[in-house]
Amino acid sequence: MEIEVKFRIDFNQARAAIESLGADFVREELQEDLYFSLPPHELLRVRRISNLGRSFLTYKRIADPGRNEEFDEIEVEVSDFDGTVEILKRLGFREDIWIRKRRLVYRLDGVTFELNEVEGLGAFLDIEVISDNVEEAKRRIWEIAKRLGLTEDDVEPRLYQELIREGKGK
Amino acid sequence: MEIEVKFRIDFNQARAAIESLGADFVREELQEDLYFSLPPHELLRVRRISNLGRSFLTYKRIADPGRNEEFDEIEVEVSDFDGTVEILKRLGFREDIWIRKRRLVYRLDGVTFELNEVEGLGAFLDIEVISDNVEEAKRRIWEIAKRLGLTEDDVEPRLYQELIREGKGK
């Protein structure tokens, strides 16, 4: 299970705070995500990471709809973004929403920080732990979030797709 | 477009004939194919090539149902066979048929020879040309088939899935 909490942040301020915790910088990713229409609480995405020349096919089931912090995720790398999109279209899936972002990834003691600048929506920080122990994972996420000065008020529970659909960009 | 004609053959005899044409041996593949249920004339397959440690996701539309010689094919390599199968199942596709075969691939002047020993069904040779000119491709395939001593009587128009379903294995 992928457990993550998403916060609205100031990009540079959050970056400095994460670095001052001693987190390791892992990589930068320029992501282009194409989501397909699926029933509620399921996500189907093809992601191109243009600066790394890699693409991924991902299915997610949202285990806690509304809060959107717990995801049952299956992901495989694919050799070809366009071919994968074409296969899904042939299978009858409809393109829904594109999301483009710049992401910096940091890691500290099994916790992953994804610092995102999302086109049209602003800056967000995902703090993520992979674990089957949801309670323990959330405890660790919030322990670190507090050290970064983040509170429940900074949480953004909506998916990027929902934010784009609602036109709630800054 | 992928144009191919499938012949029932004697494996060793066909192999010797292909080699005596001067075709280049390309590789051996131990394939495990899982087909999912789709509407007629469409195929959805995840293939694991176990001896090479590679897997592929493939969608095919049969352009000439019944003869099954013309395929509109889209294929991407995937990092993980099981993950890809799991994603398709989550998307609602049902496992249909497994096909396991040993394949020797040869090539000569843009023509590909796939010499297959199919579990439960026997030996087959696919002679394949990738081209958008179907007539020209079939002319080339038949020119070579004749040099291998193959005739219209040796053609097997049914898909492996159909043969397995019909229980027509020898």
Side-chain angles (χ1 to χ4, degrees):
Chain A
M1 187 79 80
E2 179 193 61
I3 321 292
E4 65 178 36
V5 180
K6 179 158 80 236
F7 301 90
R8 282 196 176 266
I9 44 101
D10 174 89
F11 194 91
N12 291 323
Q13 204 175 311
R15 181 180 188 171
I18 290 166
E19 290 179 350
S20 75
L21 284 183
D24 293 318
F25 175 67
V26 179
R27 65 183 170 275
E28 177 174 8
E29 298 183 351
L30 302 177
Q31 304 179 337
E32 296 172 68
D33 293 350
L34 175 56
Y35 285 85
F36 288 82
S37 295
L38 271 200
H41 318 319
E42 293 184 274
L43 304 174
L44 176 61
R45 177 184 76 200
V46 187
R47 166 172 291 171
R48 169 156 47 203
I49 305 181
S50 57
N51 61 320
L52 304 179
R54 301 177 69 179
S55 295
F56 296 86
L57 170 64
T58 307
Y59 169 90
K60 294 193 193 201
R61 189 183 59 80
I62 302 171
D64 63 339
R67 275 202 76 77
N68 302 320
E69 295 181 348
E70 304 169 29
F71 298 92
D72 178 14
E73 173 179 315
I74 311 166
E75 181 163 79
V76 299
E77 184 161 2
V78 293
S79 58
D80 178 5
F81 179 91
D82 293 328
T84 305
V85 167
E86 186 62 23
I87 289 173
L88 293 175
K89 285 183 179 174
R90 296 294 188 95
L91 292 174
F93 296 99
R94 284 191 311 100
E95 285 190 24
D96 183 11
I97 278 185
W98 283 91
I99 296 171
R100 295 179 177 81
K101 54 176 124 55
R102 170 180 176 236
R103 168 175 290 181
L104 301 182
V105 182
Y106 288 84
R107 202 162 288 148
L108 180 70
D109 300 334
V111 176
T112 303
F113 303 86
E114 297 170 344
L115 199 49
N116 296 313
E117 220 161 15
V118 186
E119 202 177 287
L121 293 180
F124 300 86
L125 170 65
D126 289 345
I127 306 181
E128 179 184 308
V129 170
I130 306 294
S131 171
D132 285 328
N133 185 336
V134 174
E135 292 317 307
E136 161 67 8
K138 291 214 176 168
R139 200 191 51 71
R140 291 181 66 195
I141 288 169
W142 274 104
E143 182 182 275
I144 286 224
K146 279 175 191 149
R147 289 170 65 194
L148 293 172
L150 298 167
T151 72
E152 189 66 50
D153 289 345
D154 301 306
V155 170
E156 175 50 78
R158 288 165 295 182
L159 304 170
Y160 294 129
Q161 299 94 296
E162 293 170 333
L163 292 170
I164 285 180
R165 213 171 270 122
E166 293 169 17
K168 286 270 169 60
K170 63 168 164 77
Chain B
M1 187 80 80
E2 179 193 59
I3 321 293
E4 66 179 35
V5 180
K6 180 159 78 234
F7 300 90
R8 281 195 178 268
I9 45 102
D10 173 89
F11 193 89
N12 291 324
Q13 203 176 311
R15 180 178 186 171
I18 291 166
E19 289 179 351
S20 74
L21 283 183
D24 294 320
F25 175 67
V26 179
R27 64 184 171 274
E28 177 174 7
E29 298 183 351
L30 301 176
Q31 302 179 340
E32 297 173 67
D33 293 350
L34 176 56
Y35 284 86
F36 287 82
S37 294
L38 270 201
H41 318 319
E42 293 184 275
L43 304 174
L44 176 61
R45 177 183 75 199
V46 187
R47 166 173 291 172
R48 169 157 46 202
I49 305 181
S50 57
N51 61 319
L52 303 180
R54 301 177 69 179
S55 296
F56 296 86
L57 169 65
T58 308
Y59 169 91
K60 293 193 193 204
R61 189 183 59 81
I62 302 172
D64 63 340
R67 274 203 76 77
N68 302 319
E69 294 181 349
E70 304 169 28
F71 298 93
D72 177 15
E73 173 178 315
I74 310 164
E75 181 163 80
V76 299
E77 183 162 1
V78 294
S79 58
D80 178 5
F81 179 90
D82 293 330
T84 305
V85 167
E86 185 62 22
I87 290 173
L88 293 175
K89 285 183 179 175
R90 296 293 188 95
L91 292 174
F93 295 98
R94 284 191 310 101
E95 284 190 23
D96 182 12
I97 278 184
W98 283 90
I99 296 171
R100 295 180 177 81
K101 56 174 122 55
R102 170 177 176 240
R103 168 175 290 180
L104 302 182
V105 182
Y106 288 84
R107 201 162 288 149
L108 180 68
D109 300 334
V111 177
T112 302
F113 302 86
E114 297 171 344
L115 201 49
N116 295 312
E117 221 161 14
V118 186
E119 203 177 286
L121 293 181
F124 300 86
L125 171 65
D126 289 345
I127 306 182
E128 179 184 309
V129 170
I130 305 294
S131 170
D132 285 328
N133 185 336
V134 174
E135 292 317 306
E136 161 68 7
K138 291 215 177 164
R139 201 190 52 69
R140 291 181 66 195
I141 288 170
W142 274 104
E143 185 181 275
I144 285 222
K146 279 174 192 151
R147 290 170 65 193
L148 293 172
L150 298 167
T151 73
E152 189 67 49
D153 289 345
D154 301 307
V155 170
E156 175 48 80
R158 290 166 294 183
L159 304 171
Y160 294 129
Q161 300 93 296
E162 294 171 332
L163 292 171
I164 285 180
R165 215 171 270 122
E166 294 170 17
K168 286 268 169 60
K170 61 167 179 309

